[in-house]
Amino acid sequence: MSSGESALLFAAAVYGVSTTVSVVALRAVRPADLLAVEIAGAATILLVTAAARGQLRRRGALRHMLAGALVPGLAFLFGDLGLARTSASSGSLLLAAEPLLSVLLAVAVLRERLSGRAVLALVVGLTGGALVAFEPGGPAGTDTTAGNVLVLLAVVAAAVFLIATRRFNDGGDGLNESAWQSIGGLLSVVPFVMLSWSTGGSRFGTAGAQGWLACTAVVVCGVVGGVLFNRGIGRVPAARAGLLGNLTPVVGTLTAVVFLGDRPSLLQLIGGAAILAGLVLLLRSPAGPPAPSTPQSELVEEYR
């Protein structure tokens, strides 16, 4: 694996863990509470770190903030609302739809091409994703339609974010991009948080030590996952990056089974094995050199 692929794989694993930890946090706090903590906390950590290391640059800040309205903004908003209404394993497994959307957008928007083995990896991985997203006989009241739809909206936001960051990534180490994206995400969710607090209040006062620990873990996952993603996305084609994201639902489901006692069905287990098989096929296929991110001046000429 290249360094970019390694970074994206680690990011996918971190996001999978974050899904399970978010469900734990949402048992103690409201979605608006978790949203405020995870985005504001990540923004503070990333801005302070980037400024202290001299890596915070104003060039491209607006572009990164607009991307941040998608992730962490809308993706975290829809994700937290959805995970509050469904199980950790169901939420994780629904994330298997993101690679499909990412690959389709990469081919349609960025005009990327897939090798024969990558196409096979896509078919195998998506077949597994379809199996794990289908949960017959789930516990009553845990796999609601509203929760699943909200998680899928988060998936759409994340897929569009992947394409946007691949197109406009600065090719840096990821810290500067993540810092500005967290600011954009924070600004985009402030209206929802304020409205939610004004109408339903907050549950911070009753969260307890376990609730705050879970919220802190979500913040850490967001910081680490965001930096790793931005570090890797400029070095890997978007279609391949989308396929690497297949690891997220697998890790999310495994952590939900181990730590929360969720029990996936036989179809889900088969689907998880298919996702991993597709991932292995992908990593054994040649990637080819990724096209560099397009500078803004070249984009102006391209669209004239």
Side-chain angles (χ1 to χ4, degrees), residues 227-242:
V227 172
L228 287 172
F229 178 86
N230 281 299
R231 179 173 295 176
I233 192 59
R235 300 174 172 87
V236 179
R240 193 173 180 87

Side-chain angles (χ1 to χ4, degrees), residues 162-196:
L162 185 149
I163 300 303
T165 50
R166 178 65 189 91
R167 182 91 186 202
F168 301 111
N169 188 269
D170 292 335
D173 64 358
L175 183 58
N176 174 70
E177 292 88 342
S178 298
W180 289 116
Q181 287 165 6
S182 65
I183 293 298
L186 180 61
L187 293 175
S188 66
V189 302
V190 162
F192 167 79
V193 173
M194 298 306 295
L195 178 62
S196 179

Side-chain angles (χ1 to χ4, degrees), residues 15-16 19-20 23 79 82-97 132-133 135 142-144 147-148 150-152 154-155 248-250 252-253 256 262 268:
Y15 287 142
T19 302
T20 299
V23 170
L83 290 174
R85 294 165 170 81
T86 189
S87 67
S89 59
S90 294
S92 296
L93 298 174
L94 287 168
L95 296 177
V132 297
E135 188 178 15
T142 59
D143 193 16
T144 65
N148 289 341
L150 287 165
V151 172
L152 288 176
V155 165
T248 295
V250 175
T253 303
D262 285 5
Q268 291 173 333

Side-chain angles (χ1 to χ4, degrees), residues 107-134:
V107 173
V109 177
L110 302 181
R111 300 186 294 277
E112 293 184 0
R113 296 183 179 181
L114 300 177
S115 67
R117 184 173 288 183
V119 171
L120 178 60
L122 176 62
V123 172
V124 173
L126 291 178
T127 301
L131 290 175
V132 297
F134 177 65

Side-chain angles (χ1 to χ4, degrees), residues 2 23 44-45 62 80 84 110 123 252 268 278:
S2 67
V23 170
T44 302
I45 294 172
L62 179 59
D80 288 347
L110 302 181
V123 172
Q268 291 173 333

